[in-house]
Amino acid sequence: MDDTSRTYDVIVIGAGPVGENVADRTKAAGLSTVIVESELLGGECSYWACEPSKALLRPVLARADARRVPGLRKVVAGPLDVPAVLAHRDDIVFHWQDDDQVAWLNSVSVDIVRGHGRLDGPRQVVVTSPDGGTVRLTARHVVAVCTGTRAALPDLPGLDEVRVWTSREATGAAAVPGRLVVVGGGVVAVEMATAWRALGAEVTQLVRGEVLLPGREPFAGELVAEGLREAGVDVRFGTSVTSVTREDGPDGEARVILADGEQLVADEILFAIGRAPRTHDLGLETIGLSPGDWLKADDTCRVGAVDDGWLYAVGDVNHRALLTHQGKYQARIAGAVIGARVHGEPLDETKWGAHVTTADSEAVPQVVFSDPEVAHVGVTAREAERAGRRTQVVDNDFLSVAGAVQYAEGFRGKARMVVDLDRGTVIGVTFVGPGVAELLQSATVAVVGEVPVERLWHAVPPFPTISEVWLRLLEAYRG
């Protein structure tokens, strides 16, 4: 498609999972749709984040589980087959080729324009193609920005001249570094420390604060820190980096200087300290917004700061919930909203209605694929207290759960349920332990469905499974 000027009902900037879902839903609503992408169709999650990281972690966690099962411990005592793990990772990301994504978008009749898209005034997008050509796109109704985020880097002197890892390099590395320094205490830092330590790297993790996984229940970070240390990771709290240098060029040793003057030597250094929106070169200044800012959106994903309601921000770029599955959830709703508004149909904007992203504030599920795993949905006990809600917090350490004992010898973990006493419903759940990721959907259904605790008594967990922890939590709640 070589036209230099085209008009569509909807223009989607960014062809990650979020943009693809917006395009799919608007096209299904009968709206002509084009999607613009400067890199690979499928986006960050498919090639540099969720998919490759879990491909690295799956054998790590499977081996950890097997080592806790009598009869298997000796069988899996040896090291992982690193070439096989990395080859599997490469297969999972289709060797960084997006042919399947292209075929899928073609199958749903969504046009694709490759290149860097920038806004150029209301409903206008100019795309600079890889060969230097330009295509001007005009939207009759909506432009949806789905550009996601990039790794944030600290403001350290000379860092631009030093080759460092971000999440992209950490998930895509072709070899195991001998010595790896991980800076950060969040999900990416924890998962990559877990993966690369198990694959053979000597890992030092530097955490500015005093806990891992801030924002989760405190015991989650404590148990994960114990697991990392038992695996051989040197986890240090209350420390920060003041400078990073490399000797003998970009492939030389990295020297990491800490605030107390200590120096660490590493082959690679990963900064996993947060995310920044991909809006710095999006042309926001042409519509009265500031480049580099998050795009604040309402519960229908529409950007209120722009007149006439033509701009939507969906997924990480709106800073509501920086998770792939949550962005896809937003995309499904935004697509329905756009279709309804264009066709003049009424919206259901009541809580949990078909056209609002209520889950972004009430029930965001997240799994940390560490050892032990962390699975959480809803509010923490501290968040509920700060909001002034009258709650009862119930804990269980899995010791009385027969399914947990069957799953792993010496199963170590903890579960917490937060109950709103005024409504009699579960508003937050956290599970920490081996294999708990698959428990999370049951908790999410309970929170989203606002299921009365008394009704949950009749949801009988099968014996002997880890899900019996629900029964133990409910028994403790009843006293």
Side-chain angles (χ1 to χ4, degrees):
M1 301 180 67
D2 299 324
D3 302 342
T4 58
S5 180
R6 307 179 212 160
T7 300
Y8 293 87
D9 292 326
V10 178
I11 302 170
V12 179
I13 306 177
V18 175
E20 288 177 332
N21 272 271
V22 171
D24 180 40
R25 297 305 168 109
T26 56
K27 183 63 181 179
L31 305 177
S32 61
T33 302
V34 63
I35 196 163
V36 179
E37 177 55 56
S38 61
E39 294 186 291
L40 295 175
L41 304 180
E44 195 82 11
C45 175
S46 299
Y47 302 103
W48 302 287
C50 316
E51 294 280 13
S53 67
K54 303 315 168 284
L56 293 174
L57 285 159
R58 177 58 190 150
V60 173
L61 300 182
R63 182 182 66 165
D65 283 349
R67 285 178 168 178
R68 300 182 182 106
V69 179
L72 281 178
R73 191 171 294 114
K74 291 183 179 180
V75 177
V76 293
L80 291 167
D81 183 342
V82 173
V85 173
L86 297 182
H88 170 64
R89 184 272 318 274
D90 293 351
D91 288 342
I92 287 291
V93 299
F94 298 98
H95 298 266
W96 291 276
Q97 299 293 321
D98 62 4
D99 295 354
D100 282 359
Q101 300 294 330
V102 173
W104 178 77
L105 282 168
N106 286 335
S107 75
V108 295
S109 300
V110 170
D111 286 349
I112 303 165
V113 176
R114 290 190 182 268
H116 179 68
R118 298 182 83 256
L119 293 162
D120 189 33
R123 296 185 177 86
Q124 301 293 312
V125 175
V126 174
V127 184
T128 303
S129 63
D131 62 6
T134 60
V135 178
R136 175 172 289 276
L137 303 174
T138 300
R140 296 186 185 92
H141 302 290
V142 164
V143 175
V145 175
C146 308
T147 50
T149 60
R150 56 184 173 84
L153 289 172
D155 185 16
L156 293 177
L159 189 63
D160 291 343
E161 301 171 6
V162 179
R163 181 180 57 80
V164 298
W165 275 11
T166 67
S167 52
R168 284 196 168 199
E169 290 77 19
T171 58
V176 179
R179 298 157 297 178
L180 172 65
V181 170
V182 177
V183 182
V187 176
V188 172
V190 163
E191 291 188 345
M192 291 298 93
T194 300
W196 288 110
R197 174 60 195 138
L199 289 167
E202 294 180 9
V203 179
T204 302
Q205 185 168 1
L206 307 176
V207 186
R208 181 188 292 269
E210 299 300 327
V211 295
L212 294 178
L213 305 176
R216 295 288 154 261
E217 298 287 3
F219 64 82
E222 293 167 3
L223 288 169
V224 169
E226 289 179 16
L228 285 168
R229 283 173 168 154
E230 288 177 1
V233 176
D234 180 4
V235 183
R236 304 186 188 186
F237 294 103
T239 187
S240 58
V241 176
T242 58
S243 70
V244 179
T245 60
R246 278 193 185 271
E247 300 179 359
D248 302 322
D251 295 322
E253 289 184 337
R255 289 196 173 271
V256 183
I257 313 300
L258 306 184
D260 62 4
E262 182 180 359
Q263 294 189 24
L264 302 177
V265 178
D267 298 292
E268 303 294 350
I269 175 170
L270 163 63
F271 282 100
I273 59 173
R275 307 292 296 178
R278 289 184 182 275
T279 62
H280 58 289
D281 190 19
L282 189 61
L284 293 183
E285 69 279 2
T286 70
I287 57 170
L289 301 180
S290 300
D293 281 358
W294 300 97
L295 292 176
K296 185 177 180 180
D298 63 18
D299 286 349
T300 68
C301 295
R302 186 159 65 177
V303 178
V306 174
D307 293 337
D308 297 331
W310 59 270
L311 185 65
Y312 286 69
V314 193
D316 286 6
V317 75
N318 63 31
H319 207 223
R320 292 174 65 92
L322 276 64
L323 295 160
T324 296
H325 49 269
Q326 212 66 23
K328 292 165 70 174
Y329 159 76
Q330 293 175 15
R332 294 190 293 269
I333 290 174
V337 167
I338 293 166
R341 283 179 171 152
V342 169
H343 295 308
E345 299 168 354
L347 298 186
D348 178 3
E349 297 185 68
T350 59
K351 184 179 180 180
W352 303 115
H355 299 109
V356 289
T357 56
T358 306
D360 286 348
S361 57
E362 299 282 339
V364 176
Q366 183 174 18
V367 175
V368 184
F369 292 89
S370 49
D371 181 22
E373 293 176 343
V374 178
H376 169 83
V377 67
V379 299
T380 64
R382 183 177 301 172
E383 288 168 342
E385 180 183 4
R386 288 175 177 171
R389 303 176 81 161
R390 197 170 66 90
T391 63
Q392 181 174 337
V393 178
V394 183
D395 292 338
N396 182 272
D397 62 6
F398 282 101
L399 290 177
S400 60
V401 178
V405 176
Q406 291 278 9
Y407 188 88
E409 191 173 65
F411 189 108
R412 184 174 58 190
K414 185 173 180 177
R416 170 167 289 179
M417 179 175 72
V418 182
V419 179
D420 186 315
L421 292 175
D422 293 324
R423 298 168 57 207
T425 59
V426 178
I427 57 175
V429 182
T430 298
F431 302 114
V432 182
V436 298
E438 299 303 334
L439 291 178
L440 188 55
Q441 184 63 4
S442 62
T444 303
V445 170
V447 174
V448 171
E450 299 178 339
V451 182
V453 176
E454 295 303 318
R455 177 60 64 84
L456 286 176
W457 270 100
H458 301 284
V460 182
F463 178 89
T465 64
I466 303 176
S467 61
E468 282 183 283
V469 71
W470 276 108
L471 178 57
R472 302 294 169 248
L473 291 169
L474 292 167
E475 286 174 338
Y477 172 72
R478 276 195 169 183

